[in-house]
Amino acid sequence: MADSSPAPRRSQQLSSPDRSRVSSFLSENRNTELNHQSALAAAQAEHERVREAAIRTFHDHVLQEEQKRLQERQESILQQQRREEERIRTEEALRAEEERLRALKLTVVPKLPPEPEPQPSPVQVNGSAAPKEPTQPVPEARKEAVSSADPSPLSPQQPNSLKNPFAQVNGTSSAQASSSTLPNPFKKTEPINQQTIQPSRGEGWGAPTPLAQLFSSTGPQQNGALGLSSTKPPVVADVDQYVEIHKNLKELRASLARQAKQSPPLKRRMGDMRRELRKNMGQLVGERGGNKTQAGIIQALLDESLNGSVPSELVDPSNFITDKREPVQGALRNEPQLPSLFLYLLNQFSKAVINQFINECGAQPKSADPIGVLTAQVFSREAYLWRGKTLIDILMAKFRVVCPVLFGYRGNEKTDQGRVRLGWRKDKSSGAFIPEQQHIDRMKGLGAGYSAIALRNFSNSKNTNPWPPSHYWTSMAKIVNTPGTEISNTQCVVLRAIIEDNEDRFVQFYGNAAIAALRKALVDFPNKAVDQKMPGVAGLTVMASMLKRDIGLEL
């Protein structure tokens, strides 16, 4: 409109700037010292604030990391605890199962009382009627025809039923039928003289009496007939001679020590040979053919002691054997004396054998077999025979000292004298008897080792068996013939040790007579023990059950 006033300009609508703030920078005192100090103080304060914030942030981060690490550690510990708790629960359950298994093994079902009057009616054997053989006295002619102190092993031409002794035992096999009618293989004869055979009843029971040593039994089947032993007891002096041999071996060791003082080469070489022998004995393995190197080294050491390359005094070998020997035509060594170093090494070899049996075979009886193989190999080698016979009496003298039960000795385990008679070792440092479990482990190892030596088959070897199975039979008989009131836990442990894992070889040597012997050892012997609470008695009963379960041999 023409009369209206003009519109106001835009610049008039804008607010004017704060001239006081701008003017402060443009003021005249902006470069004064006071202004600079104020600005510096403000910057310093800001720097401190930022620094403190950074430090605080860093501390918070460190704290968070530490908390995280502690949480991870705690979780790891909790996981380990849960795993250990699970392991403990599993082991407790396993222990409970083992306890139940042991309780089942120790459970003994009482036998039925004997019938007041046995009926002469036929006895049922596996479903077929078999007439019961009446008890008749042995004809005098048969006694004169077959007489032996120990049953001899079966001839190589055995019947097929004896080559597989456990085949169809519960069926119609001849092994069970014959064993059911076999007489007692360890049955004692009538007392010869009660005054001479009455055992001592002192602190420890006496040495084996003539009655305890009687080995009158039915022998094994020979060409279909049972051999009957004579009533002549074995010579007691042979057992006692082992103690004398053991003393002579100690004197031999002292003699070699005196010789070593006078001969430095002998001292140095003798020590090296002893250490080498022990080292190789400790390296024996169970694999077939795995001990050829060790056997070769041991035989090389014995050969070196014999050929005179290491000189030593000559001694009479008759001081270390139980029999008297005369020169034999064709024998490699008929001379009256042998190098003392050779007999010393045989003694050290025997000592190493005993130690291996004690240390390794108590928990693992099967590990005794390679040791027994090497032992039989060394003592049967023709180069080491004296006048045609073995020198294994050196080893048996040590067996007699550490395990007298094998030679018919017995004693009361509740007395010191009885323990000594049983071979219960004393601790050298304290002089007290070793713990019972340690003693039991020693006896187990020695029993297993004795069987590994005595039950060796030499039918395919040109050498002669140094310790034939008849000694095994004799040792078993001397244990089994113990009266019920004198049976000890040590005897039961040794008896089981010589039988366990050796039943098949025992039966292969003695056939049906061995089955009857096993019945006597594992059934009759524990049943006649007065103290039925002994662990060894229960162990024999359990072993009879295991034979029935594992191989079908029902005793």
Side-chain angles (χ1 to χ4, degrees), residues 427-487:
D427 188 84
K428 294 182 179 180
S429 58
S430 63
F433 288 102
I434 61 177
E436 182 178 6
Q437 186 58 48
Q438 186 177 352
H439 168 70
I440 295 302
D441 292 340
R442 284 171 56 88
M443 295 299 106
K444 286 181 180 179
L446 291 170
Y450 185 82
S451 301
I453 296 174
L455 293 179
R456 301 246 67 91
N457 187 0
F458 273 68
S459 59
N460 297 326
S461 175
K462 64 178 182 179
N463 297 332
T464 303
N465 193 339
W467 197 252
S470 58
H471 295 286
Y472 177 91
W473 181 284
T474 303
S475 297
M476 182 184 293
K478 289 179 178 179
I479 298 175
V480 171
N481 284 340
T482 302
T485 56
E486 300 183 10
I487 294 177

Side-chain angles (χ1 to χ4, degrees), residues 148-376:
S148 173
D150 295 324
S152 301
L154 294 175
S155 60
Q157 295 78 15
Q158 301 181 21
N160 294 331
S161 62
L162 298 184
K163 292 181 181 179
N164 187 8
F166 302 132
Q168 299 181 357
V169 175
N170 295 325
T172 59
S173 65
S174 61
Q176 181 179 0
S178 300
S179 63
S180 62
T181 58
L182 278 175
N184 183 355
F186 302 124
K187 183 177 180 182
K188 301 176 186 178
T189 57
E190 294 297 328
I192 301 174
N193 188 347
Q194 293 293 337
Q195 295 180 356
T196 61
I197 64 178
Q198 185 67 25
S200 173
R201 298 283 182 175
E203 285 291 323
W205 290 310
T209 61
L211 179 59
Q213 291 189 359
L214 283 179
F215 192 67
S216 58
S217 63
T218 58
Q221 283 189 348
Q222 300 175 356
N223 299 328
L226 289 175
L228 297 180
S229 65
S230 65
T231 59
K232 182 179 179 180
V235 181
V236 184
D238 289 344
V239 178
D240 297 332
Q241 280 184 345
Y242 288 131
V243 179
E244 297 299 324
I245 292 175
H246 195 263
K247 294 179 181 178
N248 295 337
L249 290 173
K250 290 184 177 181
E251 296 178 358
L252 174 66
R253 184 175 59 186
S255 174
L256 263 296
R258 290 192 298 269
Q259 296 180 44
K261 292 180 180 180
Q262 301 175 358
S263 175
L266 173 62
K267 179 179 180 180
R268 181 174 57 257
R269 186 56 187 148
M270 183 175 67
D272 294 341
M273 297 170 81
R274 182 180 66 251
R275 286 185 290 270
E276 190 72 14
L277 189 148
R278 291 179 179 176
K279 182 186 73 174
N280 285 274
M281 283 298 299
Q283 295 176 350
L284 298 180
V285 295
E287 289 81 4
R288 185 178 181 87
N291 297 318
K292 291 183 179 179
T293 302
Q294 292 85 342
I297 294 176
I298 292 174
Q299 292 178 6
L301 294 174
L302 293 173
D303 293 340
E304 182 181 357
S305 65
L306 270 176
N307 58 24
S309 58
V310 182
S312 61
E313 295 180 359
L314 300 178
V315 295
D316 186 3
S318 61
N319 295 326
F320 310 100
I321 57 177
T322 58
D323 58 338
K324 295 183 179 180
R325 301 180 187 178
E326 299 295 334
V328 178
Q329 184 177 3
L332 292 181
R333 302 197 175 278
N334 279 323
E335 56 267 34
Q337 293 179 326
L338 292 177
S340 57
L341 181 60
F342 169 69
L343 297 174
Y344 171 79
L345 286 183
L346 279 183
N347 180 35
Q348 292 298 319
F349 174 75
S350 302
K351 185 177 180 180
V353 168
I354 295 294
N355 290 335
Q356 289 293 107
F357 287 151
I358 292 175
N359 297 331
E360 296 186 5
C361 305
Q364 297 179 348
K366 292 184 179 180
S367 61
D369 194 66
I371 306 174
V373 171
L374 179 60
T375 303

Side-chain angles (χ1 to χ4, degrees), residues 15-282:
S15 61
S16 60
D18 187 3
R19 296 186 182 277
S20 62
R21 295 179 59 189
V22 176
S23 63
S24 64
F25 289 99
L26 299 177
S27 62
E28 296 179 357
N29 59 352
R30 67 181 183 274
N31 289 326
T32 62
E33 182 179 358
L34 182 60
N35 192 20
H36 280 289
Q37 289 180 353
S38 177
L40 182 61
Q44 184 69 25
E46 181 66 16
H47 175 75
E48 291 295 332
R49 184 187 66 79
V50 174
R51 180 175 177 274
E52 290 177 358
I55 293 175
R56 185 166 54 253
T57 303
F58 174 74
H59 288 168
D60 293 342
H61 177 73
V62 171
L63 182 60
Q64 291 176 0
E65 291 294 328
E66 183 68 17
Q67 290 178 350
K68 183 179 178 181
R69 187 183 66 81
L70 292 177
Q71 289 178 356
E72 293 178 353
R73 176 63 177 169
Q74 185 177 7
E75 291 178 359
S76 175
I77 293 175
L78 290 177
Q79 291 179 0
Q80 292 181 2
Q81 288 179 351
R82 286 192 291 268
R83 287 196 296 266
E84 290 299 320
E85 291 174 355
E86 183 66 22
R87 181 187 62 80
I88 292 174
R89 285 194 296 268
T90 304
E91 291 182 355
E92 289 177 349
L94 181 60
R95 177 182 174 85
E97 293 296 333
E98 291 180 352
E99 289 178 353
R100 284 194 290 271
L101 177 60
R102 291 185 181 182
L104 290 175
K105 287 183 178 181
L106 295 178
T107 302
V108 179
V109 179
K111 286 189 173 182
L112 292 174
E115 297 181 0
E117 294 181 0
Q119 299 296 331
S121 59
V123 180
Q124 296 291 332
V125 179
N126 297 326
S128 61
K132 183 176 181 180
E133 294 185 1
T135 304
Q136 297 180 357
V138 180
E140 192 66 22
R142 189 177 181 182
K143 289 184 179 179
E144 296 175 358
V146 185
S147 176
S148 173
D150 295 324
S152 301
L154 294 175
S155 60
Q157 295 78 15
Q158 301 181 21
N160 294 331
S161 62
L162 298 184
K163 292 181 181 179
N164 187 8
F166 302 132
Q168 299 181 357
V169 175
N170 295 325
T172 59
S173 65
S174 61
Q176 181 179 0
S178 300
S179 63
S180 62
T181 58
L182 278 175
N184 183 355
F186 302 124
K187 183 177 180 182
K188 301 176 186 178
T189 57
E190 294 297 328
I192 301 174
N193 188 347
Q194 293 293 337
Q195 295 180 356
T196 61
I197 64 178
Q198 185 67 25
S200 173
R201 298 283 182 175
E203 285 291 323
W205 290 310
T209 61
L211 179 59
Q213 291 189 359
L214 283 179
F215 192 67
S216 58
S217 63
T218 58
Q221 283 189 348
Q222 300 175 356
N223 299 328
L226 289 175
L228 297 180
S229 65
S230 65
T231 59
K232 182 179 179 180
V235 181
V236 184
D238 289 344
V239 178
D240 297 332
Q241 280 184 345
Y242 288 131
V243 179
E244 297 299 324
I245 292 175
H246 195 263
K247 294 179 181 178
N248 295 337
L249 290 173
K250 290 184 177 181
E251 296 178 358
L252 174 66
R253 184 175 59 186
S255 174
L256 263 296
R258 290 192 298 269
Q259 296 180 44
K261 292 180 180 180
Q262 301 175 358
S263 175
L266 173 62
K267 179 179 180 180
R268 181 174 57 257
R269 186 56 187 148
M270 183 175 67
D272 294 341
M273 297 170 81
R274 182 180 66 251
R275 286 185 290 270
E276 190 72 14
L277 189 148
R278 291 179 179 176
K279 182 186 73 174
N280 285 274
M281 283 298 299

